[in-house]
C-alpha cells in the first residue's frame, strides 16, 4: 500500500483577502476626489475656451458688419443717453444665430431665412439649422442640462443685454433711476442691444414680451463698440447661465417670460403647427435659436421690489452669481422657473465660487460670486 502524501496549496486566507480589498478601497477613496478635481478643472478650462471662442466670433461679426450682433432679448432704448422704459423687447433672431458663420457653422447658417423665427413652420430650413448641436454653445461641466424634447440645439451661455443692479444698495433699479453720481441710469442696456432700423420679413422691427410685433425702430441689433461708454474691457458681453438651462417640460427648468410670437393669433397668415409651440405658449430659454437666450443681470428676485419673492430688504449684500443654488429647482421660496430665482436670466454656473464671463474686448475671466 502506497503512502498518501498531503501537498499544501499556497493561497490567500480570507483575512488576507479582506485586508487587500480594504487597502484597494482606501486607495480608490483617496484617488477619486483627485480624479474628480482634474475632470472639473478640465471642464472648466473648456468652458472658458467656449466663452472665448464665442467672444472672438462676436468680434469677427462686428468686424464684418461694423456693428455688434443683437442680444436677442433686451429693453427698449431711445435717445442719447438712452432713456429706458419697462418694455422688454425681442429681436426676430437670436445672438447665437447671427454668429453661426463665425463659429464655423456655415452649413447651418446657409439654411436660415434671416429675420424669420427658428421654429416657424413656414421656414423648415430654420428648424433644421436650429437642430444643429454646436459644441461650443454648451459648457461641458453643465451636467444638469438634458436634451431638448424636440431635438433643438441648446446653449448654456447667455448674452448680456442689460444690467439694472443699483451699485449702492444691490437692489434692482427701476426705470429712470440714476446712480449716486446722478449721471448714469441704473437700468440701462449693455453692449449687446436690440435696436435697429431694418424691418424683419413680417414687417416688424421687433416683438414685445406678449409676442406682438412692434413697428418702432427696435430689433435686429446694431450697437457699436464706440457706443460702449464704460469701455470694452469693463463691459461683460457673455456669461454662463447653466447648468440647468432645460426646456420647460424638463425638471428643473427655466420658465421663459416672453410669449412665442408664432403662438399669437393673427401674427401669421396661417395657424402654426402646435408641435412647434410650447404648451405654455412661451418662448424657449434653452434653445440657442430663440432670442430668449439673451438676458439681463438683475440679481436675486429678493432684491427686486416688483417681485413676489421680494423679502423687504433695503440693502442686498449676498451673492449675485450662483445665487439660490440650493435646493435643486429653487424650492417654494424662489423656484428656478421664476425670473431671477437662481439660474433663470442670471449668471449661474456649475463651477464653485463663480462663473466664466467674456468682455467686449474679447478677454475672459472667472468672475467670483463675491
Amino acid at each position: 500500500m502506497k503512502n498518501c502524501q498531503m501537498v499544501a496549496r499556497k493561497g490567500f486566507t480570507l483575512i488576507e483577502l479582506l485586508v487587500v480589498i480594504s487597502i484597494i478601497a482606501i486607495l480608490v477613496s483617496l484617488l477619486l476626489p483627485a480624479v474628480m478635481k482634474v475632470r472639473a478643472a478640465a471642464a472648466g478650462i473648456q468652458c472658458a475656451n467656449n466663452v472665448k471662442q464665442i467672444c472672438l466670433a462676436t468680434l469677427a461679426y462686428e468686424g464684418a458688419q461694423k456693428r455688434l450682433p443683437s442680444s436677442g432679448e433686451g429693453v427698449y432704448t431711445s435717445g442719447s443717453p438712452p432713456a429706458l422704459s419697462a418694455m422688454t423687447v425681442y429681436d426676430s433672431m437670436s445672438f447665437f444665430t447671427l454668429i453661426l458663420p463665425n463659429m464655423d457653422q456655415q452649413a447651418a447658417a446657409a439654411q436660415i431665412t434671416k429675420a424669420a423665427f427658428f421654429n416657424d413652420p413656414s421656414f423648415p430650413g430654420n428648424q433644421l439649422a436650429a437642430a444643429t448641436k454646436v459644441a461650443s454653445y454648451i459648457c461641458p461641466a453643465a451636467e444638469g442640462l438634458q436634451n431638448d424634447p424636440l431635438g433643438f440645439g441648446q446653449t448654456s451661455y447667455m448674452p448680456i443685454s442689460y444690467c439694472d443692479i443699483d451699485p449702492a444698495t444691490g437692489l434692482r433699479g427701476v426705470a429712470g433711476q440714476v446712480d449716486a453720481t446722478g449721471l448714469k441710469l441704473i437700468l440701462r442696456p449693455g453692449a449687446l442691444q436690440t435696436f435697429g432700423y431694418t424691418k424683419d420679413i413680417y414687417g416688424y422691427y421687433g416683438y414685445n414680451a406678449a409676442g406682438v410685433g412692434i413697428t418702432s425702430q427696435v430689433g435686429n441689433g446694431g450697437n457699436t463698440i464706440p457706443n460702449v461708454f464704460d469701455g470694452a474691457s469693463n463691459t461683460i458681453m457673455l456669461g454662463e447661465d447653466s447648468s440647468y438651462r432645460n426646456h420647460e417640460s424638463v425638471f428643473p427648468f427655466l420658465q421663459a417670460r416672453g410669449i412665442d410670437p408664432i403662438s399669437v393669433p393673427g401674427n401669421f397668415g396661417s395657424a402654426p403647427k402646435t408641435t412647434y409651440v410650447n404648451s405654455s405658449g412661451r418662448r424657449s430659454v434653452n434653445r440657442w435659436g430663440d432670442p430668449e437666450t439673451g438676458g439681463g443681470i438683475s440679481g436675486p428676485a429678493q432684491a427686486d421690489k416688483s417681485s413676489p419673492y421680494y423679502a423687504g430688504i433695503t440693502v442686498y449684500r449676498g451673492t449675485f452669481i450662483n445665487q439660490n443654488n440650493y435646493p435643486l429647482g429653487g424650492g417654494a421660496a424662489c423656484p428656478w422657473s421664476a425670473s431671477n430665482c437662481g439660474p433663470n436670466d442670471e449668471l449661474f454656473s456649475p463651477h464653485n465660487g463663480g462663473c466664466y464671463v467674456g468682455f467686449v474686448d474679447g478677454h475672459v475671466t472667472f468672475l467670483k460670486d463675491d
Side-chain angles (χ1 to χ4, degrees), residues 135-223:
S136 297
Y137 285 174
I138 298 291
C139 174
E143 296 177 350
L145 186 64
Q146 301 181 48
N147 291 332
D148 182 83
L150 292 183
F152 284 108
Q154 302 184 109
T155 182
S156 46
Y157 302 108
M158 178 177 69
I160 309 303
S161 58
Y162 65 91
C163 180
D164 53 3
I165 295 175
D166 186 340
T169 65
L171 302 180
R172 186 177 187 182
V174 297
Q177 182 182 353
V178 296
D179 63 11
T181 67
L183 301 176
K184 293 182 179 180
L185 290 164
I186 292 174
L187 172 59
R188 56 189 170 133
L192 304 177
Q193 301 178 13
T194 52
F195 73 89
Y197 303 95
T198 306
K199 291 183 179 181
D200 60 27
I201 62 171
Y202 306 110
Y204 300 123
Y205 289 101
Y207 287 78
N208 64 19
V212 178
I214 49 180
T215 55
S216 56
Q217 293 175 340
V218 176
N220 300 293
N223 194 25

Side-chain angles (χ1 to χ4, degrees), residues 50 53-54 57 96 99-106 134 136-137:
N50 288 350
Q53 185 176 355
I54 295 172
F96 296 102
I99 65 170
L100 279 176
N102 309 106
M103 294 292 296
D104 199 25
Q105 295 292 330
Q106 292 87 349
V134 184
S136 297
Y137 285 174

